[in-house]
Amino acid sequence: MKSKMFIASLLAVVFGGSEAVAGTHPWYSQGDFAPEMRIEYNIKNPLNRAVTNASVIIRRENFPMPDLHEMVITIVDPAGEPRPEPTDSILNVQGGHQLRAEKNGRMLFHQLDDIDKDGIWDELFFQMDLKAKETKTVYIYLGENIRGWNKHHTHANIGSYCRHIMPFWETEEVGWKIWFANSCDAYGKRKPMLVSPVLYTENVDGYGIANINHDYGSDIQEVAPSFGASAICLFEDPDNPNVVSMPRKTPVKQNLAPKSLWNAGQISDTRYAYDVVVNGPIRSMVKIKAMNWDSGAGYYEYEQYYTAYAHHNYCISDVRFTTFQPRKANVLAGCGMRKKPQENNFVQKKGFLVSSGPEEVRDPEKIDQRENIVVDFIGGAIIVKDCYKPQYRFVADYDGNHVFCVTPDASHHYEYMVCTAWSEGTKLTNKEDFMKYVEDMAEEFNHPLTTAFVGIDQKK
């Protein structure tokens, strides 16, 4: 009776008593879960090729029923293969929350993410595979469903790492962290797994973690004064287009710390605050808030979100300047990465660049005569959306960096993608495979899946 009253009240809110739109696929069920109401969406792939684990994002303002608890949503691909009834041995471990036998489709794991932290979800997120130019129907079934363990394929957190507060975010393939203020380290795994909890809870050297478990992999990015695997900047001097300003490279007088690597005091110089926005299972997000950045030619503050996505070798950086007060005209933003020290493959096309080559994986704080690990390939890439009009520039300062100058939108916002891979990983282990992946991700970044609300269907 409660379930029927819930459905009736939702229909009344959405339709004001009008009749619901009928669907065409048989109704999904899972064990004794037999929902009586569903929302239909069409998901379209605009590309002339198939996509795998592509992101689907439905924002709350575009959702017909925004006032829903996360436990009353079940997303189903009606063309997906139903899961069988679990064995007794699985049930003995997983208990009552284990998925039961499915009929008429396959449940897709999802997240309802509250990004602005007001207690109300902002985005419904899940992933799908689609063929070239394919449009797929998905149903969002409504009704309490407490079943569905799903393994975390991404992770994000803030750790105290060697007495230093810093963010970590990762997929099972690769990960990133920030030791030097806003310039990213990168690390690779030899088998798909989440490693950062071991790094920050046990305080293990990222270059020596393989001595605990070879499969954990290693740090694969030296940063020091550079952009590392990813960093933002500003181009403040039109007369010197290859000179940049960075948040940790300011004219403030140093107090004890070496100026080449760190900011000065947290009151007198740029300061940073980190937060976890989302922690898995299929995407994880950290937030960087930078304040009191006085470059000498302007005053700035910004918020930057890094998001890792399941089954991928990339994260996305979303940047918005909350204070943008340049003292000169024509100041533009930028983003980039350090040129690989033994670069033998550099490609720059439109809004993406790739730098890769063989490399020594070494602890920059080398403490003895242990041999460095030499790997055949480490690759990095930066992809900027075309709408931000990326222009490539090489910045020789700070150990040499490949950088894009970008034009943010009217709210001083822009976004870019960071890709990472290495020859010791389980995929993208050479420059050819990595290059193809970057080209594909650049295409998908500029042409994401589209969503269209179709209607709401009530079981007769």
Side-chain angles (χ1 to χ4, degrees), residues 27-35 74 82-86 91 96 98-105 107 144-145 147 459:
W27 283 72
Y28 172 83
S29 65
Q30 181 215 129
D32 60 1
F33 174 62
T74 301
R83 295 174 178 85
E85 185 69 17
L91 286 173
Q98 175 61 35
L99 285 169
R100 303 302 203 273
E102 296 179 302
K103 293 181 181 179
N104 301 324
M107 190 185 87
E144 184 181 14
N145 179 11
R147 299 195 187 110
K459 187 180 287 186

Side-chain angles (χ1 to χ4, degrees), residues 338-355:
R338 181 176 184 166
K339 176 184 176 181
K340 289 300 176 185
Q342 299 180 49
E343 180 183 87
N344 64 7
N345 183 50
F346 172 70
V347 178
Q348 188 269 309
K349 294 181 182 179
K350 293 186 178 180
F352 75 84
L353 60 85
V354 174
S355 177

